[in-house]
């Protein structure tokens, strides 16, 4: 079998998604679009009362219109070669004042940590985040001996690391 | 400022990491390498008693040797254009029999869901996972009207979705 040499995922798999549950889809979409991500598509599952929202950094000219059938939009999504952020919205949580998901970084829900982005100008990115009224929870600065980082928070308080990117070495 | 038009992340950011805390670094490394990911590098922080392990699907010929200084290996990592899985190992957890992280999918720690991979042969991938003694928690099969999926579990019981990929449409 092909996977025996290549690993369980077989030939040319794609690291396609990181999924987080969110309380309020509109609030999250506004944040991730302000971050610079592009909305790709949404799947609705009325029988199960939830929707999935997909975002990517890539501006993909092949994104199908939302009027296309869900099955067709899914087929398109499962052919994309880039990583996406998948946000799961269980309908109704946005109307429950006290409702909140665990961000994975505090007990007893500790486990998941964060997603992270390489950015060209860490300080400018953090300034833009604060100017828009979002939270920079760890100011930009060195972390030990591995470079300059910061942490911001999304509307559900999930952690997002920003890392000062380095130029690729000449080869 | 450049970010005002492009979003907080500025020009050409990279969706670079998804971080999960793990109990046992050797156990996790064996799993993710069997999956088909490649170990990139490790950062050790002795003062803080933890290490970070980075993996990617890409087999990158520029991976620096572990004998290179940590600062140099970090610089290299922050220049890579692909998504990585970052595993955080707080030293000593592997020796605590009862220690376990929350996988994000059960109360009270619900929030984080999973990472997901597109694969060319979903059934073959699941067979390979089971044959190696790992867990397929949701057998491969259709999910509503959006395609064929399965879920497997990593050694910390984190969920990993496998999705039958679709061929890219002719354009």
């Amino acid at each position: 079998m092909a996977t025996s040499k290549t690993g369980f995922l077989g030939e040319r798999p794609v690291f396609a998604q990181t999924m987080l549950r969110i309380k309020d889809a509109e609030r999250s979409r506004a944040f991730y679009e302000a971050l610079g991500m592009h909305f790709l598509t949404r799947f609705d599952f009325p029988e199960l009362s939830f929707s999935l929202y997909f975002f990517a950094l890539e501006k993909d000219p092949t994104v199908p219109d939302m009027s296309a059938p869900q099955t067709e939009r899914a087929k398109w999504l499962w052919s994309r070669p880039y990583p996406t952020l998948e946000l799961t919205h269980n309908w109704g949580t946005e109307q429950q004042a006290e409702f909140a998901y665990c961000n994975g970084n505090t007990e007893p829900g500790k486990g998941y940590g964060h997603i992270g982005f390489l950015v060209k100008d860490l300080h400018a990115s953090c300034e833009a985040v604060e100017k828009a009224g979002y939270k920079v929870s760890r100011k930009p600065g060195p972390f030990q001996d591995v470079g300059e980082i910061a942490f911001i928070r999304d509307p559900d308080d999930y952690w997002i690391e920003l890392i000062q990117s380095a130029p690729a070495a000449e080869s």
Side-chain angles (χ1 to χ4, degrees), chain A:
Chain A
M1 147 172 35
T3 50
S4 62
K5 272 202 227 165
T6 56
F8 306 151
L9 302 180
E11 299 283 352
R12 299 207 295 157
V14 175
F15 191 170
Q17 50 184 233
T18 300
M19 189 282 263
L20 303 173
R21 294 179 183 85
I22 53 159
K23 172 176 175 160
D24 183 326
E26 282 185 37
R27 184 178 74 162
S28 291
R29 180 169 172 170
F31 173 81
Y32 285 101
E33 289 187 335
L35 207 62
M37 299 193 91
H38 299 280
F39 171 72
L40 298 173
T41 200
R42 189 189 79 226
F43 303 151
D44 298 319
F45 304 105
E47 285 171 38
L48 302 170
S49 298
F50 79 95
S51 297
L52 303 176
Y53 293 75
F54 293 87
F55 298 83
L57 283 176
E58 279 70 13
K59 189 160 190 174
D60 187 333
T62 72
V63 173
D65 192 86
M66 279 299 294
S67 64
Q70 182 155 301
T71 304
E72 289 308 307
R73 288 184 285 111
K75 239 186 232 173
W76 170 82
L77 188 64
W78 310 147
S79 76
R80 302 293 85 203
Y82 45 72
T84 70
L85 179 65
E86 176 185 9
L87 302 181
T88 295
H89 176 231
N90 291 300
W91 299 355
T93 53
E94 72 281 8
Q95 289 159 8
Q96 301 167 34
E98 300 303 311
F99 186 92
Y101 282 117
C102 176
N103 73 12
N105 291 295
T106 50
E107 296 297 356
K110 208 167 189 173
Y112 170 69
H114 62 261
I115 54 173
F117 297 94
L118 303 177
V119 298
K120 295 231 186 310
D121 186 336
L122 182 62
H123 287 265
S125 286
C126 290
E127 278 168 29
V129 167
E130 282 192 323
K131 198 171 162 189
Y134 295 112
K135 190 170 168 187
V136 177
S137 55
R138 197 272 197 195
K139 305 289 174 199
F143 178 72
Q144 299 273 318
D145 58 351
V146 295
E148 302 260 330
I149 66 161
F151 277 92
I152 66 173
R153 302 292 176 96
D154 95 342
D156 286 281
D157 210 39
Y158 288 116
W159 294 17
I160 299 174
E161 186 173 2
L162 305 184
I163 304 151
Q164 177 63 52
S165 65
E170 303 293 324
S171 59

